[in-house]
Amino acid sequence: YLGEKAMKENKLEIALPYFESEVTLHPDNELAWMNIASIYANTAQPDEAMKATETALALAPENETALYMKGHIYLMKADLRASEESFQHLVRVNPENATAYFYLAEISRQNKSNRQALRYLEKALTYNPQLKNAYIMASQIYEAEGDFENAAKYKQYAEQF
């Protein structure tokens, strides 16, 4: 309870010892491991975040939060291939995970595959039509490709949120 309260107040340095104590007493508490991973990720400690995430995944291999965190950590480390694998795993676990498709689009965009990025954004928006960042990214891609009509359309959609 105190760790969660500290996290809600963004007092991560206070929250961490509570969750570390929890996993010492209950090493099978995947939620506590994910809180530890989140704290480390939010304090720019990706290696420590990955250790906690891997522990959570060992306990629950299809934990969507852990799979998301793993992909996110790999993005932090600029390992696009590993990040893509993690987000692909996530969409195999939950084919309707809009956030996973959004990050697959970001990875595709960074890999200069704008058409693939747009396909992923389409899927993200199918499952979450209010995902503002997906509209923004689609607008940016269309603009970069010189398709100003679609760029304006997606920008207008984004402004609705």
Side-chain angles (χ1 to χ4, degrees):
Y1 167 78
L2 293 174
E4 291 172 10
K5 183 175 184 247
M7 276 191 76
K8 286 179 185 172
E9 295 171 358
N10 204 32
K11 297 178 180 174
L12 304 181
E13 68 286 345
I14 294 172
L16 184 60
Y18 288 112
F19 292 118
E20 288 175 333
S21 293
E22 174 62 21
V23 297
T24 299
L25 296 171
H26 306 283
D28 61 344
N29 185 335
E30 69 188 81
L31 181 58
W33 282 111
M34 287 312 307
N35 284 322
I36 291 169
S38 179
I39 290 168
Y40 282 128
N42 286 314
T43 56
Q45 298 178 69
D47 294 331
E48 293 302 317
M50 186 62 80
K51 289 176 192 173
T53 299
E54 291 289 358
T55 302
L57 284 169
L59 296 167
E62 295 191 348
N63 179 311
E64 290 184 47
T65 303
L67 291 169
Y68 162 80
M69 181 64 73
K70 186 175 180 180
H72 178 72
I73 293 165
Y74 280 128
L75 266 181
M76 288 173 62
K77 297 171 87 169
D79 187 340
L80 298 182
R81 183 195 55 75
S83 182
E84 181 178 17
E85 288 175 10
S86 295
F87 287 117
Q88 288 289 358
H89 185 173
L90 179 51
V91 297
R92 285 191 302 276
V93 170
N94 179 0
E96 297 182 6
N97 190 307
T99 303
Y101 288 115
F102 174 80
Y103 280 102
L104 286 166
E106 176 59 30
I107 293 163
S108 294
R109 183 166 80 156
Q110 288 186 35
N111 283 328
K112 310 288 188 235
S113 181
N114 286 343
R115 291 283 120 203
Q116 181 64 45
L118 289 169
R119 284 190 290 273
Y120 282 131
L121 290 170
E122 184 179 314
K123 283 187 173 189
L125 291 167
T126 296
Y127 298 118
N128 183 356
Q130 297 181 356
L131 190 57
K132 181 178 181 173
N133 287 339
Y135 291 110
I136 292 169
M137 186 188 300
S139 175
Q140 292 168 343
I141 291 170
Y142 281 121
E143 188 173 315
E145 292 187 340
D147 184 344
F148 300 108
E149 183 178 330
N150 274 320
K153 179 175 80 172
Y154 278 90
K155 187 175 185 178
Q156 184 177 15
Y157 290 148
E159 290 170 355
Q160 295 176 12
F161 301 103

